[in-house]
Amino acid sequence: MWLSHGRVQVSSLSHRLLRAVQGRRRKSHAAAFMPEAAGFEGVRDRAGLQHFSVAHAESFWSRVARHRLEWMSPFHTVLDCDLERGKVRWFEGGKLNVSVNCLDRHAQTCPQKVALIWERDEPGSEVKVTYRQLLEMTCRAGNLLRRRGVKKGDAVTIYMPPCPLAVASMLACARIGAVHNVVFAGFSAQALAERIRDARSSTVITVNEGVRGGKITHLKKTVDAAVQSCPTVRQVLVAMRTDTPVAMTTKDVAMEEEMKMEDGVCEPEAMDSEDVLFLLYTSGSTGKPKGLVHTQAGYLLYTSLTHKYVFDYNDGDVFGCVADIGWITGHSYSVYGPLANGGTTVLFESTPVYPDPGRYWEMVERLKINQFYGAPTAIRLLLKYGDQWVHKYDRSSLRTLGSVGEPINTEAWEWYHTVVGEGRCPVVDTWWQTETGGICIAPRPSEQDAEIVPGMAMRPFFGIKPAIMDSEGKVLTSNEASGALCISQPWPGMARSIYNDHQRFIDTYFKTYPGHFFTGDGAHRSKQGYYQITGRLDDVINVSGHRIGTAEIEDVVNQCPAVAESAVIGCSHHIKGQGVYAFVVLKQDVQDVDLTSKINHTVSNKIAKYACPDHIQFVQRLPKTRSGKIMRRVLRKVVECDLSGLGDLSTLDDPAVVQEIIQGHSDLRAKQP
């Protein structure tokens, strides 16, 4: 009896020990993925980590912030937010310097590690910049700005192409406490002037000329024209991208010559967590650009965390984000996220098709890029040229492929995955905005073997709690639901205001659905709980009472074998209210006289007959900005025959495309009864 009783005791003890060991293993699995998880009660895996980050946001972000950022003074309050009033404050009491977090701490531990690889327009002429070199460049620029009178809180407008000095200028502003306002170097003088005036900049930084796709752009001339209507500007710092001399005015300063005279050490300013880091202007529905305000600690922490976990970035990897620094993608994933993580990041100056359509993949082979992050419109463009340009180059270094800017259609996703990634690289279709600061919904992070559904953003990131709202403003709690996409609790990376107009910030993002951040996008939540972005809610067509997103129609049109890409807009229809007008770019050497009926048949089968385009105009190319965004506003004006309302076309990659589309539209109308 005694032995039997002992065996029962031993068996029970062994069982409890086994469960304890298994629990520790599960916990160590989460902690191996994210070290901070060791302190999160009940977290066993990545799904548990996401749940904890939403349910216990204060604990999650507090621990991550203390572990991942270098503080001059610790914060005392994790968050103080009220979404109904547009009040968002994180890590109050804390002081830090963003440039120290991006440069100094890495320059101390690994000074010779490459921070930037400048992929110049000329293939094979890349320039590598180490952390030590970038720190010195930043310090010299910071000292120059200080000597020239730039103070903490002053706005500095940067109008430069992607290059090391542009990054150093951004970080120099951060170092001395100035606010940078990077303006995409393809904007016209008028658009630049508007942003300078709104930001009240006294200092502008630019280059003599830009080089892109083998073409020269006269950036200094654009700045000269812009500052004529900007009375606040008292100095323009001019760097030299090419050897071509430019006329200098009394306001102009030879930046590189002046930097040589500065000390290579610059004392960093201690910044409050909620001091402004930068302004970035984005399109507004009123036509007036919105200067979105991002602050120090929360933004840096969020970009660092998303860069690490969405892309599975590891020390020693080469991260290739091909976005321009003039956009939020360039800010977050070419500059701040990678540098905060001590990474090596690529600055891409050229175009996907210069000198040929193999440019991206030749660069991947030469630089041994591990993560590639680009726009769907570029992927669709390259798909049009065929697989041979991809197969020509070794892409074995690639581990993750990313997509950003708009929903990626299924055909482009499949091509990206199977041809570019050889079926072995996960494709992370990321959803986020200038307003969100960093990625909010993406297929990763998730368990290694978790499914990825083509064309879906899928899973919310840590700390993100999406909500889908119906037309009456009620939260839809079930799956298989569609509506307006909101986020129901604050996160550190979100914008804090619209510069000089906080009421507009409240009205735009918090008034429509009180207590929620309104993204302006529509979304569908599948029966598995995955999120699919259906497009901007102002890109919804109402055909005979049926609401349908233009992105949904474009996705189906693009599935036709002959179609390279398309853009769909609503047009006036005397019976249906709104009709569907499709602009379609065909793949090379396509000869099919019956394409219109085939496209309509595909749309009818895949969506519904009411979604079929009423008009299909075949075009050689679509009007796009130099970042690859399709200018649907221009297409609408052409279809409405409102050519006087086309507005400023200087931001287009090639304004001549508009005239081609106008002529094609005129010819199409002439053929109709």
Side-chain angles (χ1 to χ4, degrees):
M1 286 291 294
W2 183 83
L3 285 172
S4 173
H5 179 70
R7 283 196 298 271
V8 171
Q9 290 287 335
V10 170
S11 174
S12 175
L13 180 62
S14 299
H15 183 61
R16 289 200 301 273
L17 285 170
L18 180 62
R19 281 193 302 177
V21 169
Q22 288 174 335
R24 281 196 295 272
R25 282 178 181 167
R26 287 194 296 269
K27 193 150 191 171
S28 67
H29 170 66
F33 172 69
M34 179 183 282
E36 296 91 340
F40 299 150
E41 188 63 35
V43 172
R44 299 286 180 261
D45 53 22
R46 299 181 196 188
L49 192 55
Q50 206 286 330
H51 175 77
F52 183 91
S53 72
V54 171
H56 306 282
E58 191 165 336
S59 297
F60 176 84
W61 289 113
S62 174
R63 194 171 183 88
V64 171
R66 294 184 200 280
H67 182 259
R68 304 221 170 215
L69 298 182
E70 187 170 296
W71 298 88
M72 295 174 172
S73 301
F75 54 88
H76 54 65
T77 304
V78 180
L79 70 159
D80 180 14
C81 304
D82 181 352
L83 293 186
E84 291 204 15
R85 295 193 294 125
K87 178 185 178 183
V88 182
R89 300 187 69 82
W90 285 84
F91 311 121
E92 286 190 290
K95 289 184 181 292
L96 78 171
N97 187 278
V98 165
S99 76
V100 169
N101 277 270
C102 290
L103 298 177
D104 299 57
R105 58 178 176 167
H106 310 308
Q108 289 169 7
T109 57
C110 45
Q112 298 308 315
K113 183 176 183 180
V114 174
L116 304 177
I117 303 177
W118 181 24
E119 176 68 5
R120 288 154 49 97
D121 191 56
E122 305 84 4
S125 64
E126 73 274 8
V127 175
K128 295 182 179 181
V129 181
T130 67
Y131 272 94
R132 175 181 284 169
Q133 291 169 330
L134 184 57
L135 174 59
E136 182 179 338
M137 193 187 307
T138 297
C139 286
R140 290 183 186 277
N143 285 328
L144 173 60
L145 290 172
R146 270 184 177 152
R147 178 164 62 83
R148 303 284 310 182
V150 177
K151 302 182 298 298
K152 179 180 178 179
D154 288 353
V156 175
T157 294
I158 300 172
Y159 186 71
M160 304 173 82
C163 63
L165 189 52
V167 175
S169 297
M170 294 167 71
L171 293 168
C173 290
R175 196 166 192 87
I176 68 171
V179 176
H180 65 68
N181 168 36
V182 181
V183 178
F184 171 58
F187 276 133
S188 66
Q190 180 181 337
L192 172 60
E194 188 173 22
R195 288 155 174 79
I196 293 172
R197 288 194 300 268
D198 193 75
R200 301 169 185 169
S201 285
S202 60
T203 301
V204 177
I205 306 177
T206 190
V207 296
N208 63 331
E209 295 178 324
V211 185
R212 188 172 185 272
K215 298 176 183 177
I216 298 292
T217 53
H218 304 289
L219 300 186
K220 171 63 164 55
K221 287 184 179 178
T222 303
V223 172
D224 287 344
V227 299
Q228 289 180 9
S229 60
C230 300
T232 59
V233 175
R234 57 183 178 79
Q235 58 187 348
V236 178
L237 276 56
V238 184
M240 300 295 288
R241 168 59 181 90
T242 68
D243 295 329
T244 305
V246 288
M248 300 287 276
T249 72
T250 55
K251 289 183 177 180
D252 297 337
V253 178
M255 186 175 187
E256 288 138 319
E257 292 301 313
E258 292 290 317
M259 282 174 61
K260 289 176 184 176
M261 296 186 286
E262 297 296 340
D263 191 57
V265 177
C266 177
E267 185 66 24
E269 190 77 27
M271 304 297 291
D272 291 336
S273 294
E274 285 299 329
D275 282 338
V276 179
L277 176 62
F278 67 85
L279 308 178
L280 192 58
Y281 284 83
T282 186
S283 302
S285 57
T286 64
K288 184 180 185 294
K290 300 173 291 191
L292 288 160
V293 175
H294 281 283
T295 55
Q296 310 273 332
Y299 170 80
L300 187 66
L301 178 66
Y302 196 74
T303 55
S304 164
L305 208 66
T306 48
H307 172 255
K308 163 68 178 169
Y309 289 109
V310 171
F311 299 101
D312 186 30
Y313 185 86
N314 294 305
D315 189 40
D317 286 349
V318 176
F319 189 78
C321 172
V322 292
D324 193 281
I325 58 165
W327 311 117
I328 189 64
T329 305
H331 278 54
S332 297
Y333 300 111
S334 292
V335 181
Y336 286 112
L339 295 181
N341 289 331
T344 298
T345 180
V346 175
L347 294 173
F348 184 69
E349 186 182 42
S350 194
T351 78
V353 293
Y354 180 77
D356 57 53
R359 178 61 185 271
Y360 278 168
W361 323 125
E362 185 275 333
M363 177 179 71
V364 166
E365 176 183 279
R366 176 166 36 85
L367 303 183
K368 294 182 169 50
I369 290 172
N370 303 109
Q371 295 88 7
F372 182 87
Y373 196 29
T377 187
I379 302 306
R380 288 192 292 267
L381 171 67
L382 298 175
L383 184 157
K384 174 182 174 182
Y385 287 97
D387 300 354
Q388 68 273 17
W389 290 105
V390 184
H391 291 153
K392 187 176 178 181
Y393 300 103
D394 177 10
R395 303 168 319 286
S396 59
S397 62
L398 287 172
R399 289 204 324 272
T400 303
L401 299 172
S403 169
V404 60
E406 59 182 300
I408 186 170
N409 57 294
T410 305
E411 187 195 12
W413 190 100
E414 294 285 2
W415 184 82
Y416 201 22
H417 180 249
T418 58
V419 178
V420 176
E422 301 170 318
R424 58 180 179 76
C425 300
V427 175
V428 289
D429 176 13
T430 62
W431 175 85
W432 60 297
Q433 303 170 326
T434 306
E435 294 86 342
T436 71
I439 295 163
C440 289
I441 306 178
R444 297 286 190 260
S446 58
E447 298 300 332
Q448 286 285 331
D449 56 351
E451 71 171 329
I452 294 181
V453 180
M456 292 185 77
M458 299 186 71
R459 301 176 178 95
F461 189 70
F462 302 129
I464 301 298
K465 186 180 180 182
I468 291 182
M469 319 293 280
D470 67 12
S471 57
E472 297 178 357
K474 295 177 182 176
V475 178
L476 299 173
T477 56
S478 63
N479 289 344
E480 288 290 11
S482 297
L485 177 64
C486 293
I487 301 177
S488 56
Q489 65 185 44
W491 66 101
M494 67 191 299
R496 302 305 197 251
S497 188
I498 292 174
Y499 193 60
N500 295 327
D501 198 347
H502 191 67
Q503 189 57 49
R504 185 183 180 192
F505 183 65
I506 295 169
D507 293 345
T508 303
Y509 302 108
F510 303 102
K511 197 171 182 179
T512 309
Y513 301 100
H516 296 78
F517 172 84
F518 175 43
T519 69
D521 281 336
H524 173 75
R525 186 168 55 230
S526 71
K527 62 182 179 181
Q528 295 89 356
Y530 301 149
Y531 290 87
Q532 180 171 23
I533 309 304
T534 54
R536 295 294 296 172
L537 291 175
D538 52 11
D539 282 341
V540 171
I541 303 173
N542 194 325
V543 181
S544 301
H546 300 286
R547 289 172 58 82
I548 185 165
T550 55
E552 186 177 355
I553 302 175
E554 289 169 2
D555 187 49
V556 172
V557 171
N558 293 345
Q559 290 177 30
C560 296
V563 174
E565 65 176 331
S566 63
V568 169
I569 61 169
C571 61
S572 178
H573 194 284
H574 68 289
I575 295 175
K576 297 185 288 187
Q578 269 193 307
V580 179
Y581 197 112
F583 294 85
V584 176
V585 179
L586 300 179
K587 294 176 182 173
Q588 287 184 323
D589 303 320
V590 169
Q591 293 181 340
D592 191 334
V593 294
D594 202 25
L595 271 177
T596 298
S597 61
K598 287 182 179 178
I599 290 171
N600 276 319
H601 180 72
T602 302
V603 175
S604 179
N605 283 346
K606 297 275 187 178
I607 305 176
K609 194 169 183 179
Y610 70 79
C612 291
D614 299 277
H615 311 279
I616 298 177
Q617 180 177 337
F618 295 101
V619 296
Q620 292 296 315
R621 49 202 176 138
L622 295 169
K624 297 179 182 178
T625 65
R626 288 164 73 175
S627 67
K629 181 179 179 181
I630 298 170
M631 292 287 278
R632 289 174 175 80
R633 170 183 64 81
V634 170
L635 297 176
R636 289 191 191 97
K637 292 298 182 183
V638 171
V639 169
E640 293 164 2
C641 298
D642 180 17
L643 302 186
S644 63
L646 284 172
D648 181 15
L649 302 179
S650 64
T651 62
L652 292 178
D653 191 39
D654 185 358
V657 69
V658 178
Q659 198 55 48
E660 297 172 13
I661 290 171
I662 291 171
Q663 186 60 53
H665 176 250
S666 177
D667 294 344
L668 191 63
R669 290 183 69 204
K671 293 177 184 176
Q672 293 174 344

